[in-house]
Amino acid sequence: MSLTRSYRAAIAPNNWSTFCVCLVESLAVSTGRRQVSPPLPVHQQILSSDTIRRFDSSDDKGNNPLRMLSLEEAIERSLAATPKLGGETISLANAEGRFAASDAKAKVSLPAFDNSAMDGYAVRSCDLKSATADSPVGLMCVGVIPAGTFPAGSLESETCMKIYTGSPIPDGTDAVIMQEDCRSTPGDGATILCNERVNPWENIRLQGEDIREGDAVISNGSRITAGTIGLLTASGHDRIEVGRRPRVGLLATGSELTEPPGCLKPGEIYESNRAMLASLAARVNAEPTPYPIVPDSLDNTVAALERAFAENDVVVTSGGVSVGDHDHVKPAIERLGGSVDFWKIAVKPGKPFVLGQVGSKPLFGLPGNPVSALVTYLLIVRPALLNMQGAREWRLTKRPGCLVDELVNRGDRRHFMRVTIDDRGLVLSAGGQRSHMLSSLAKANGLVDLPPKSRWSKGERVEVIPIDQ
Ligand code: AMP
Ligand code: MG
């Protein structure tokens, strides 16, 4: 067995527990059974591994926060923990992507009146029964109906009126003949020669055939699209009641974190989760506020959480949710009088994930590794942010695709793997799948949910979860 670099580093003096972990991992790899979650070094354990194992057991269906939850259960609990924020009335011009907070009805019918679908002549269809190109029928043009006017009087037999698309049709008319099927008699501008017959109601748009006054035009919880804005405006609305935007406090914990463009001191890294999560949260109407980086201490974490809870509807943290000495998010929730619902989910990347509550407000504690933070945001936080706005649909959309690369999950948790899917639906691995690897995350446009211990071959049909949603 060759020594890997991390393995060599681990056998440095005073690093005995890390050495053990590496050894277990290396043995597992060499025997083809990669162990996904090696035992924690003893000094990092809050509880003994026996206790943790007991709570992990699959027959524990209780409410113990130490149990590793299925993704479905984690989502269900998160939705249950997120209060609806209530509605606000806004201009339709700003409503795209928001969620209706009540039903709305059409204030007028669409079309509001019978009108022409063509530029041409309003006629009585019975007058043109015999019209052909060889034997056209002449009609006396007795008026013009520009859009925005309403014709006075009724159309008499063997007459017509010039009409435009959208102009109201006059009484007595039951069809419009297209301008292209007519010509005026040379030397007699008033007589129109019609080369075609028309059927009754041809080229006429009838009042209410689209929507009738009082019909529902949008229902509570549905997403407002450009199309619904069009329909709502056309049916008489200028404002709409929508679910309020969740204010999301974004905290990044970690004494190693600093912000670009400053220089990195030894051991420091640039913090990247707040900006990444803010951009995703904004996609679902949230109002994210990034707070200063929180160094790893309980007092710092408590103070930062207290402020974020006071100023937001929901708090999202990253880092500090595992079982290390420097993981303070869970104790800080408890110090603030809150509770931890669960903190482990059977998902890779992203096993340590906290759902907490302080007062009536939820906290989502994401793992610090950027890929884990993004994946757990998409899977669990996004649904909750949508639910708070009263959205009827919070599930991630999926795109069908066909694998071009083989995908393998040797672990015992489902693995959301980074992939690219092109416009033909061909799906490739986006590269390295470890949870700190941002280059493959940047390249990926989707995730594939690979069940535990599975191997999917080239040619397999898969469902891809687009990341940008
Ligand atoms: P933690 O979840 O705090 O144990 O962090 C796990 C890994 O993610 C560590 O390598 C951290 O340095 C890294 N990390 C934590 N928070 C961030 C962040 N906000 N931006 C980038 N990397 C982070
Ligand atoms: Mg940390």
Side-chain angles (χ1 to χ4, degrees):
M1 179 177 54
S2 65
L3 294 183
T4 61
R5 196 139 47 99
S6 60
Y7 183 85
R8 267 196 221 109
I11 54 178
N14 304 327
N15 213 354
W16 179 245
S17 52
T18 318
F19 168 72
C20 294
V21 171
C22 287
L23 185 61
V24 169
E25 274 205 304
S26 308
L27 283 170
V29 170
S30 68
T31 55
R33 282 183 54 250
R34 181 162 171 72
Q35 186 169 340
V36 174
S37 36
L40 285 161
V42 174
H43 76 274
Q44 287 191 1
Q45 292 180 4
I46 289 176
L47 296 158
S48 72
S49 24
D50 267 2
T51 317
I52 290 176
R53 225 171 284 128
R54 193 149 42 82
F55 285 123
D56 277 353
S57 67
S58 57
D59 57 3
D60 177 6
K61 299 273 187 279
N63 289 323
N64 201 304
L66 299 179
R67 188 163 63 89
M68 177 140 64
L69 261 57
S70 71
L71 176 60
E72 287 69 21
E73 202 176 344
I75 294 172
E76 203 177 294
R77 289 202 192 188
S78 301
L79 294 175
T82 42
K84 297 266 192 301
L85 294 176
E88 60 178 340
T89 300
I90 62 167
S91 155
L92 269 177
N94 303 320
E96 202 268 336
R98 302 287 294 272
F99 296 91
S102 54
D103 298 340
K105 292 184 163 59
K107 294 185 180 178
V108 296
S109 292
L110 294 178
F113 46 85
D114 296 348
N115 67 85
S116 175
M118 294 286 171
D119 290 340
Y121 294 89
V123 298
R124 299 160 68 107
S125 60
C126 58
D127 288 344
L128 300 184
K129 270 186 186 151
S130 64
T132 63
D134 294 336
S135 173
V137 170
L139 299 176
M140 176 73 72
C141 185
V142 295
V144 181
I145 315 162
T149 65
F150 207 87
S154 167
L155 195 77
E156 302 294 328
S157 182
E158 291 176 12
T159 67
C160 64
M161 286 192 200
K162 185 149 182 57
I163 198 165
Y164 300 90
T165 305
S167 297
I169 61 160
D171 277 354
T173 300
D174 71 348
V176 168
I177 183 167
M178 291 196 299
Q179 189 156 316
E180 294 86 325
D181 293 334
C182 306
R183 64 197 147 91
S184 41
T185 315
D188 176 6
T191 302
I192 304 301
L193 295 176
C194 304
N195 298 333
E196 295 271 344
R197 47 170 304 173
V198 280
N199 292 320
W201 307 109
E202 196 170 328
N203 298 325
I204 289 180
R205 309 189 289 205
L206 293 174
Q207 181 184 35
E209 71 178 11
D210 188 5
I211 283 279
R212 287 187 180 279
E213 184 183 329
D215 282 354
V217 277
I218 195 160
S219 59
N220 192 351
S222 44
R223 186 170 183 277
I224 296 163
T225 62
T228 46
I229 291 174
L231 175 61
L232 283 158
T233 309
S235 61
H237 297 269
D238 65 337
R239 299 171 76 69
I240 182 159
E241 196 192 1
V242 292
R244 189 164 70 65
R245 303 171 67 177
R247 288 167 302 170
V248 180
L250 285 175
L251 266 56
T253 73
S255 297
E256 74 280 27
L257 306 175
T258 189
E259 286 173 2
C263 287
L264 291 177
K265 297 199 193 93
E268 286 186 347
I269 61 168
Y270 290 124
E271 193 284 315
S272 56
N273 287 341
R274 287 172 304 168
M276 183 179 73
L277 296 169
S279 65
L280 280 172
R283 296 188 80 97
V284 290
N285 310 317
E287 289 183 305
T289 303
Y291 285 84
I293 290 169
V294 187
D296 288 322
S297 90
L298 183 57
D299 286 347
N300 284 328
T301 313
V302 170
L305 284 184
E306 197 165 25
R307 179 175 166 205
F309 273 115
E311 295 172 3
N312 294 280
D313 302 305
V314 47
V315 175
V316 175
T317 63
S318 78
V321 288
S322 200
V323 289
D325 294 339
H326 302 294
D327 291 326
H328 298 293
V329 172
K330 294 193 292 296
I333 295 171
E334 275 151 18
R335 177 86 83 77
L336 288 169
S339 58
V340 173
D341 187 338
F342 63 84
W343 59 273
K344 277 197 292 179
I345 52 171
V347 162
K348 186 182 174 185
K351 180 166 117 183
F353 176 98
V354 167
L355 173 66
Q357 190 111 23
V358 172
S360 61
K361 296 182 181 176
L363 175 142
F364 297 100
L366 316 188
N369 270 312
V371 183
S372 313
L374 181 139
V375 169
T376 50
Y377 164 83
L378 270 183
L379 297 176
I380 304 175
V381 183
R382 178 185 177 279
L385 295 179
L386 290 169
N387 190 46
M388 293 174 97
Q389 298 168 65
R392 197 165 43 224
E393 189 47 86
W394 47 262
R395 286 170 192 81
L396 289 158
T397 59
K398 293 179 184 160
R399 276 186 63 191
C402 179
L403 273 185
V404 177
D405 281 338
E406 179 183 70
L407 294 181
V408 182
N409 178 10
R410 295 192 178 87
D412 52 10
R413 285 174 281 151
R414 58 209 275 195
H415 190 169
F416 287 83
M417 300 188 93
R418 280 148 270 171
V419 297
T420 59
I421 179 168
D422 68 13
D423 39 9
R424 293 166 299 170
L426 299 180
V427 180
L428 286 157
S429 166
Q433 296 290 339
R434 293 167 67 201
S435 57
H436 63 289
M437 292 180 156
L438 277 160
S439 59
S440 55
L441 185 63
K443 191 171 159 199
N445 59 1
L447 300 171
V448 169
D449 176 8
L450 220 67
K453 307 235 182 281
S454 57
R455 177 185 295 272
W456 286 2
S457 331
K458 290 179 196 175
E460 193 109 31
R461 303 242 148 241
V462 290
E463 286 190 316
V464 177
I465 301 167
I467 290 174
D468 287 344
Q469 53 177 322

